[in-house]
Amino acid sequence: MSVETISEEELRKSLDMKKLPKHIAIIMDGNGRWADRRNLPRVDGHKAGIDSVQEVVKVCGELGIQVLTLYAFSAENWRRPTLEINALMKLLLDQLHEQTPDLNEKNVRVNVIGDTDRLPRKVTYELQRSIDITKNNTGLILNLALSYGGRQEILRATKSIASEVESGKLKFCDINENVFARYLYTSEFPDPDIIIRTSGELRISNFLLWQCAYSEFYITDVLWPDFRKKHLLLALISYQRRKRRFGGI
Ligand code: FPP
């Protein structure tokens, strides 16, 4: 199936509403290349990516998806030039400020995972405001991965567990996969059923390393600023055609 030749309506009809994933996670990649191809500054690629974020959030809400995790800023993205980091933080700040009333109206709950202590104070303030305003909403959980790294998350969980074993709050023999998962940022969410990566790169880039054990991967060459409803529906149809065996037969 190709996006160009098929209509949104046809795609929507091919979707089995009873077999939708509970948790969709997206590595939004290709903003820089999108801008390069147009001889624009990289930041313009990030700005253009906002439209894709808004569309994907809207569609996930309408479909009744439980959790949408967006990899918006990785722990390693702090290595980018200060100018780009500042522009990304400003975008985030403005988006949180502008979009929170609309997200709230759409019954979306905002959540964040990652080392938020590293974020600028203004961003953490706006994030907390958005989380507080939307905390009682019962629709889509928009989970923003910010200053997030999978290895860092696993290390953080391990340290918390070690400290609780040391203080006697947790018994060594009681540590198992379920207990471990309770110490991750994502403790309240199911593991992602599908991880979508745009721009064709075939890697996980330190994203949800523990949680992706049995996720279905969907890689598309489409650059993030070009990713639209049709692309998301195609990804979901591909997901629904797979046989998930979780190691069984
Ligand atoms: C990766 O593209 C994208 C990012 C590091 C940032 C993603 C951020 C946004 C889409 C905007 C803000 C998000 C929200 C949730 C409001 P890249 O720069 O690595 O692209 P490249 O690989 O082509 O250089």
Side-chain angles (χ1 to χ4, degrees):
M1 261 189 284
S2 120
V3 174
E4 287 74 31
T5 54
I6 195 156
S7 74
E8 209 169 276
E9 206 178 0
E10 280 173 284
L11 285 171
R12 186 69 171 71
K13 274 192 218 146
S14 306
L15 202 63
D16 182 346
M17 293 302 284
K18 291 188 287 299
K19 274 176 63 185
L20 287 171
K22 288 193 178 80
H23 185 172
I24 300 174
I26 308 184
I27 303 177
M28 308 180 290
D29 197 13
N31 295 351
R33 275 161 284 171
W34 185 93
D36 276 352
R37 286 178 196 175
R38 288 162 178 79
N39 285 319
L40 293 168
R42 291 179 54 82
V43 173
D44 285 11
H46 298 314
K47 284 185 187 155
I50 296 289
D51 290 342
S52 313
V53 170
Q54 288 176 354
E55 187 151 326
V56 164
V57 170
K58 184 167 178 277
V59 177
C60 285
E62 286 166 359
L63 290 175
I65 303 296
Q66 237 177 63
V67 190
L68 170 67
T69 298
L70 297 179
Y71 205 7
F73 194 86
S74 76
E76 288 71 31
N77 284 155
W78 291 114
R79 295 183 194 138
R80 294 197 175 194
T82 314
L83 214 68
E84 186 172 339
I85 295 176
N86 290 347
L88 270 167
M89 291 300 146
K90 169 97 173 57
L91 255 186
L92 200 63
L93 189 74
D94 293 347
Q95 281 306 304
L96 285 166
H97 192 77
E98 283 167 28
Q99 296 299 322
T100 297
D102 189 47
L103 291 171
N104 194 31
E105 200 174 302
K106 292 195 171 92
N107 199 22
V108 174
R109 169 154 80 90
V110 177
N111 189 71
V112 66
I113 57 170
D115 184 6
T116 50
D117 290 346
R118 290 188 76 184
L119 296 169
R121 269 246 291 281
K122 276 186 185 170
V123 174
T124 37
Y125 171 81
E126 207 59 52
L127 256 175
Q128 198 49 55
R129 190 175 161 272
S130 192
I131 290 168
D132 290 342
I133 290 173
T134 61
K135 69 173 188 286
N136 294 321
N137 290 345
T138 53
L140 175 73
I141 296 168
L142 172 58
N143 188 34
L144 299 173
L146 290 170
S147 189
Y148 173 86
R151 285 187 172 180
Q152 293 85 339
E153 178 185 36
I154 291 170
L155 210 56
R156 177 180 174 271
T158 308
K159 283 183 174 177
S160 301
I161 290 171
S163 138
E164 293 201 357
V165 169
E166 206 169 48
S167 68
K169 263 172 84 181
L170 183 69
K171 280 201 228 138
F172 176 82
C173 59
D174 285 341
I175 303 170
N176 58 34
E177 287 182 20
N178 288 335
V179 169
F180 194 90
R182 289 212 303 264
Y183 290 81
L184 296 171
Y185 292 123
T186 49
S187 57
E188 62 166 317
F189 308 137
D191 286 342
D193 300 292
I194 173 170
I195 296 187
I196 300 171
R197 182 168 191 149
T198 56
S199 92
E201 304 291 353
L202 303 173
R203 52 178 175 265
I204 191 72
S205 299
N206 206 11
F207 189 45
L208 303 175
L209 295 183
W210 171 279
Q211 300 87 337
C212 77
Y214 282 101
S215 303
E216 296 295 326
F217 285 89
Y218 182 86
I219 315 283
T220 170
D221 285 336
V222 174
L223 304 177
W224 179 250
D226 294 323
F227 193 85
R228 287 292 174 272
K229 180 174 182 173
K230 274 191 183 181
H231 303 106
L232 179 61
L233 295 178
L234 265 181
L236 297 181
I237 291 165
S238 160
Y239 163 81
Q240 292 187 335
R241 289 182 178 168
R242 302 187 194 180
K243 215 175 188 148
R244 299 185 78 192
R245 291 190 292 273
F246 300 94
I249 49 169

